[in-house]
Amino acid sequence: METTIERFLTAKQAENGSPCTIRAYRSDLFELMQFIGPHQGPRQLSREIIRGFLAFLHHRGVAKTTIGRKLGAIRSFTKWLCEERILSDDVSDRIDALQGPRLPHTLPNVPSIEEMATLLDGDFPTAFPERDRLILELLYGAGLRVAEVVGISLDDLRPEQSAILIHGKGKKDRLVPFNPHSAAALAVYTKKRRRMVRRGKIKSRALLLSVSPNSCMAERNGKALDVRSVRRMLNQVTKARGLQRMHPHLLRHACATHLLENRCPLEVISQLLGHANLDTTAQYAQVSTRLMLSAYKASHPHAQHQTPAAPARLRILFAP
């Protein structure tokens, strides 16, 4: 089983699967392997075994969202097994038809426009403020995934179009525009980067380097920044600003929601975010609508939870 899982992960890497997705698949599938026993092969997988695994996770108190993610990994794995003629179409279809846990319709706590201004304005309290400002401007300004941001190379920049070529999921490339804030942050950072590269003799085409200005001499390879470093940096900035704790994907949500609230067409948002399906983008419409309804109920006098007094004309008509 372990060998087959590794082959599957290699295939996903060849399909340009993100490192985060590959790590999650490995963790989820190895947990399934431990459940059924390491000596059981992939041909022994069945709908009943997967249902037993999901029930096992539920009894352990695993969150519904996590169970849903693990089921998604298993579905992807069994579809690949079917393509490789390791599992029959019938078994794969029966596993694919399994229903995950029903998730509650929770409203994402999307930062407001004012909160985003607080996050991005002013000096950055980090070791490499020029780079870190650019990262957050790209996450929010272009709605990029964090893996897409750290994967940008110098060859992806398209200054003549005021855009960047982004290599998204499933080997799907797209152009995303620079807004004036992102362009200004890029200009400041690239100037700093050129000095670092020249002084430290760094050889790297990665746009965002993991080294700080004070340590570039010690790391001449100039490794690209990783996703975890971006998360740590964002936590540092939000804490310094007195804001709620944010993860990088929340800035992508904020980008889409704020565009929609300012009447940007759904099709444009879908293209900007690199969604393969418009239904994925439509989820932001639900978020935006629910935000509007929540604000309305909290603000309009007729929306308050109280019994309205009958108009005078009706009181006269129905007086005893």
Side-chain angles (χ1 to χ4, degrees):
M1 183 66 131
E2 183 175 350
T3 303
T4 307
I5 291 174
E6 292 297 344
R7 283 179 54 207
F8 164 71
L9 296 175
T10 300
K12 286 300 170 184
Q13 287 176 326
E15 294 173 4
N16 203 31
S18 76
C20 292
T21 301
I22 300 300
R23 281 197 299 270
Y25 277 2
R26 174 175 279 107
S27 172
D28 296 338
L29 294 176
F30 270 71
E31 189 172 1
L32 172 65
M33 182 183 72
Q34 291 173 351
F35 173 76
I36 65 175
H39 300 297
Q40 296 292 323
R43 296 183 187 277
Q44 277 68 52
L45 289 177
S46 66
R47 177 186 173 93
E48 290 69 31
I49 286 176
I50 303 304
R51 284 187 66 183
F53 177 59
L54 298 179
F56 166 73
L57 295 173
H58 175 72
H59 288 306
R60 276 179 48 202
V62 176
K64 291 182 178 180
T65 51
T66 303
I67 295 175
R69 188 201 71 205
K70 292 179 186 296
L71 179 57
I74 293 168
R75 283 171 174 159
S76 182
F77 180 52
T78 52
K79 285 179 182 178
W80 177 82
L81 290 174
C82 182
E83 293 169 1
E84 294 292 308
R85 307 295 183 186
I86 298 172
L87 211 58
S88 70
D89 291 345
D90 179 58
V91 173
S92 176
D93 289 344
R94 293 188 70 214
I95 293 174
D96 190 54
L98 277 171
Q99 295 295 317
R102 183 170 294 180
L103 301 178
H105 295 288
T106 55
L107 181 65
N109 192 14
V110 177
S112 67
I113 294 174
E114 292 75 20
E115 287 174 318
M116 290 308 305
T118 300
L119 177 70
L120 297 171
D121 289 349
D123 296 333
F124 264 49
T126 62
F128 199 164
E130 299 89 351
R131 179 199 65 190
D132 298 338
R133 179 182 296 280
L134 174 60
I135 291 170
L136 298 191
E137 290 287 359
L138 291 174
L139 289 170
Y140 175 59
L144 299 182
R145 301 176 179 93
V146 63
E148 293 172 343
V149 171
V150 299
I152 298 172
S153 77
L154 297 177
D155 304 317
D156 297 326
L157 300 179
R158 300 291 186 271
E160 71 283 356
Q161 297 173 281
S162 297
I164 312 176
L165 180 65
I166 297 298
H167 307 288
K169 287 184 176 181
K171 297 183 179 180
K172 293 180 180 178
D173 295 347
R174 68 187 190 279
L175 275 177
V176 298
F178 277 125
N179 62 43
H181 293 276
S182 301
L186 177 66
V188 171
Y189 169 71
T190 50
K191 186 177 180 180
K192 184 84 172 183
R193 186 188 185 281
R194 280 194 296 269
R195 289 201 298 266
M196 287 174 55
V197 168
R198 187 167 53 248
R199 187 174 70 249
K201 298 181 181 179
I202 296 172
K203 296 179 180 180
S204 174
R205 298 300 294 171
L207 174 65
L208 302 166
L209 301 178
S210 62
V211 294
S212 68
N214 299 323
S215 64
C216 62
M217 292 296 290
E219 297 188 46
R220 293 189 175 185
N221 289 331
K223 295 179 181 178
L225 197 66
D226 60 36
V227 171
R228 292 181 182 179
S229 296
V230 175
R231 290 184 186 135
R232 287 195 296 268
M233 178 271 292
L234 180 54
N235 287 337
Q236 182 182 353
V237 177
T238 52
K239 186 176 181 179
R241 301 279 201 252
L243 294 168
Q244 62 168 323
R245 187 168 181 170
M246 301 179 191
H247 54 80
H249 210 71
L250 200 59
L251 274 61
R252 177 173 161 91
H253 288 322
C255 172
T257 302
H258 297 165
L259 282 171
L260 192 62
E261 289 174 348
N262 283 282
R263 301 184 179 181
C264 183
L266 210 59
E267 294 82 359
V268 174
I269 300 174
S270 180
Q271 185 176 0
L272 177 70
L273 299 185
H275 286 160
N277 192 324
L278 195 61
D279 289 343
T280 305
T281 318
Q283 294 175 4
Y284 291 106
Q286 298 174 12
V287 172
S288 184
T289 300
R290 291 168 70 186
L291 284 171
M292 179 272 291
L293 289 173
S294 177
Y296 169 80
K297 291 176 181 178
S299 306
H300 198 286
H302 286 190
Q304 306 303 313
H305 292 287
Q306 58 186 16
T307 304
R313 182 164 55 88
L314 293 181
R315 289 201 297 269
I316 293 171
L317 286 173
F318 293 98

